[in-house]
Amino acid sequence: MRPRLLVLSGPLKDSTIPLSEDELTIGRDASNGIAVTDPSVSRKHCLISRQDGGFRVRDLDSRNGTLVNGTGVEEQWLQHGDQISAGDSSFLFLLEEEEVAPAPSRVEFEDAQSTSETTIIHPRDVVYLQPERLLRELPATSRVARNLNALLKISRIVHAIRDLDDLQGQLLDLIFEVVPAGRGAILLADQESQQFNSTFARMRQSGRAQLVKVSRTVARQVLEQGISILGSDVPSCGDLKEIESLAASQVRSLLCVPLTVFQRVIGCIYLDSDSLGTRLQEEHLQLVTAIAGISAVALENARRLQWLEQENERLTVEISQERSLVGEGARMKEVYQFLKRAAPAESTVLIEGESGTGKELAARALHRNSPRANKPFVAINCAAIPETLLEDDLFGHERGAFTGAGSQKKGRLEVADGGVVFLDEIGELAPALQVKLLRVLQEREFERVGGTHPIKVDIRLIAATNCNLEQALRNGKFRQDLYYRLAVLKITMPALRDRREDIPMLARHFVQKHAKHCKVKPRPISREALSRIQNYDWPGNVRELENAIERALVLGSSDMILPEDLPESLLERNPLPEMTEAKYHAAVKELKKQLILDAVEQTQGSYADAARLLGVHPNYLHRLIRNLELKEALKDALQDISGRGLTGLSGGNA
């Protein structure tokens, strides 16, 4: 055992670091056992320690986290071949000695003219690729010629057919040409459960689908033991004659051979006959075993391809459902119409709207329905990345551009070449970066940090903001020329309170989505809870609604989502007029009102003192007064106490 780290990427790429010490830290600081001059690596990023004969990796509260095989971890045991990632650096953990593969020989082309006689042959003239010619050159009655013909045909079709059903059908048809079986089946097993999860059967000379009965006992024995079974005379064979299914089907002879890929049995080929005149013999077993050897890998590849296509389709639908806009109201129909018309174009799009209204979903919809759908979609939140790092994140840097820039790094604009760049919170972009972004929009080129050569990119830019850019223009915080470059096509995503007709549909959508993610049973929403949901203003928009539904699913204990499962802020609002409020919630609401009235009266109208008396934050008290519609009641109460008209309340307005 020789524990070591092979550096796969980063400043130390291609170096090997032995793990001879009990503890070794990785980080940007020079005091680390492995010092990595990489700005994406924390000063003290992670620790690799030897414990109980093994090795563990532990994250040291790094900024970007420590990943093992692509998954973020806090602490984890390491296995031979695990890949550890810290920032832009990755390490391969090795314990065992690896066999060194011989280096490939070098190829050198020579330009000398050939002086010897040259023979040229076309693939269509190769005799071993033409079964018909082989048959002509061998005796007409030769069994070897007939079998060789079948093997050559099979070897050709297994490389030409990708569809699993088509491949299995042609294999059985070719087998019937050389083996006197009446029925045939190809059975493929699941790798984990060892159960037959793919079956294909065919009758000899039958143009319609028929039921083909297969002995599970024989097929299971072949699958589990990896052996071939031949029963030339089933009724008189000691083991086979006891199998009831064979007797019921009047099977006279059968054979079953394993399909083996890399020493693993993936299924079997099963053939039988109920004919008294022709029986399956050992020569047929030899031939079908050869056919199984030729076709096993092709069948496995076709099955994997079928599974990948189905999985890709399933994931595409799932992602589309999770990342699609939901709603059928008039405001959303306007949004859909805009997206339909704007998606095929290459124009820059500016999406405005409050936080949580689905601006990124709209951007993804534009990308998904555009000619760039198969190219990258790169999302960047301009408010989430510090200004000092955002430039490097967008444009990348050259080696040596600044301290710690040990290697060249591509920026996200370069990574997105051919696709779409989505700049969220564009209103937070620093003035210096606004100038550089303007050049990208005008010229479709930029320079890396520390670079001198322009880099051309083919991107479509979509920007989003929840602030008023026109007001930012007037305040001088946003460049006018950049704004007009961004707002070639502009749309405002409606707030949820402006499309209340979509709230029930959204709520049910989130019930189905989070029931699956949280592994709980989806539950219907009670009429009273739905009334509360529809009568709330949703300042956090769709995102707040989604969080409320997820909370109700996880914390609720009944068969329905009830009002008490919802956040408290929803219960403070009155239900819709057609709904009757539950006695419990009505009593709680009245108690809240009375407590607030008493506190404000005691403090002579001071909201700050009333909040302190109640033990809540003043902002929360203001929200309660607004939701419980207490402003007028408080004015009346204070007028009664003071005996004079009260036009304002000290401490602020609700």
Side-chain angles (χ1 to χ4, degrees), residues 217-380:
T217 303
V218 173
R220 289 295 308 173
Q221 185 178 355
V222 171
L223 181 67
E224 293 171 358
Q225 300 179 19
I227 59 173
S228 298
I229 293 178
L230 169 66
S232 296
D233 188 3
V234 172
S236 61
C237 180
D239 294 334
L240 297 178
K241 70 180 181 181
E242 302 297 331
I243 301 176
E244 295 181 2
S245 60
L246 296 178
S249 301
Q250 297 183 339
V251 174
R252 297 292 177 178
S253 59
L254 68 80
L255 66 81
C256 188
V257 301
L259 292 162
T260 305
V261 176
F262 303 126
Q263 299 181 344
R264 178 174 62 85
V265 180
I266 65 164
C268 59
I269 298 177
Y270 179 96
L271 302 168
D272 70 21
S273 173
D274 57 6
S275 172
L276 292 172
T278 56
R279 295 184 178 181
L280 302 178
Q281 306 289 346
E282 185 175 350
E283 63 176 287
H284 302 130
L285 179 67
Q286 294 281 350
L287 178 59
V288 177
T289 301
I291 292 172
I294 294 174
S295 58
V297 173
L299 287 167
E300 176 71 348
N301 288 341
R303 180 171 65 164
R304 287 179 176 271
L305 179 62
Q306 183 186 70
W307 180 86
L308 286 171
E309 289 174 345
Q310 292 171 349
E311 185 70 2
N312 181 59
E313 183 177 348
R314 183 188 68 80
L315 291 174
T316 300
V317 171
E318 184 175 314
I319 292 172
S320 177
Q321 289 175 344
E322 290 191 0
R323 295 184 174 181
S324 294
L325 296 164
V326 177
E328 295 179 350
R331 295 295 302 274
M332 287 307 296
K333 287 180 179 178
E334 293 176 4
V335 172
Y336 298 147
Q337 185 65 23
F338 172 86
L339 296 177
K340 180 180 179 181
R341 297 175 65 182
E346 291 291 307
S347 305
T348 303
V349 180
L350 177 62
I351 305 173
E352 297 180 323
E354 297 177 10
S355 179
T357 52
K359 297 187 291 295
E360 183 170 348
L361 292 180
R364 290 186 181 276
L366 286 169
H367 171 248
R368 191 166 53 246
N369 295 286
S370 74
R372 299 174 181 262
N374 294 325
K375 299 296 183 179
F377 178 91
V378 179
I380 306 166

Side-chain angles (χ1 to χ4, degrees), residues 82-189:
D82 281 348
Q83 183 172 327
I84 307 166
S85 299
D88 292 334
S89 297
S90 59
F91 310 82
L92 186 66
F93 175 74
L94 299 174
L95 275 176
E96 304 164 5
E97 291 291 339
E98 301 284 339
E99 293 186 5
V100 179
S105 300
R106 189 166 58 90
V107 174
E108 181 176 315
F109 291 98
E110 294 184 347
D111 296 325
Q113 297 293 325
S114 174
T115 56
S116 60
E117 184 178 351
T118 302
T119 300
I120 299 175
I121 189 170
H122 194 277
R124 63 173 175 266
D125 298 325
V126 177
V127 66
Y128 293 106
L129 296 179
Q130 301 177 70
E132 297 79 8
R133 283 186 58 184
L134 282 174
L135 285 173
R136 289 198 300 270
E137 295 184 13
L138 290 169
T141 58
S142 171
R143 185 185 303 116
V144 174
R146 187 179 70 252
N147 293 348
L148 183 58
N149 177 42
L151 291 174
L152 284 172
K153 284 183 178 179
I154 288 172
S155 67
R156 286 191 301 177
I157 69 166
V158 296
H159 298 296
I161 300 175
R162 296 195 304 172
D163 181 76
L164 180 60
D165 288 345
D166 192 13
L167 176 60
Q168 293 177 120
Q170 292 209 36
L171 276 175
L172 289 176
D173 287 343
L174 289 172
I175 289 173
F176 287 146
E177 290 183 9
V178 290
V179 178
R183 295 178 292 263
I186 297 176
L187 313 173
L188 301 178

Side-chain angles (χ1 to χ4, degrees), residues 576-609:
L576 293 175
E578 64 271 15
M579 299 301 299
T580 302
E581 188 171 16
K583 291 182 179 180
Y584 168 76
H585 299 300
V588 171
K589 186 186 298 182
E590 290 303 319
L591 178 59
K592 286 183 180 180
K593 288 182 178 180
Q594 194 58 50
L595 286 171
I596 294 171
L597 285 169
D598 292 344
V600 175
E601 288 176 2
Q602 289 181 40
T603 57
Q604 299 296 312
S606 172
Y607 284 179
D609 291 341

Side-chain angles (χ1 to χ4, degrees), residues 520 523 549-562 564-566:
V520 297
R523 301 199 301 273
I549 295 298
E550 182 178 3
R551 174 187 186 276
L553 278 172
V554 174
L555 299 182
S557 56
S558 64
D559 293 335
M560 301 183 73
I561 294 178
L562 302 174
E564 51 262 35
D565 299 328
L566 300 172

Side-chain angles (χ1 to χ4, degrees), residues 493-505:
M493 297 299 293
L496 189 53
R497 61 183 172 274
D498 296 330
R499 56 183 189 108
R500 294 184 185 274
E501 66 274 17
D502 291 330
I503 290 178
M505 180 186 293

Side-chain angles (χ1 to χ4, degrees), residues 7 11 101 121 156 191 200 264 382 414 449 476 597 609 632 638:
V7 187
I121 189 170
R156 286 191 301 177
Q191 183 176 351
F200 186 94
R264 178 174 62 85
C382 300
E414 197 169 349
V449 176
L597 285 169
D609 291 341
E632 293 301 322
L638 291 174

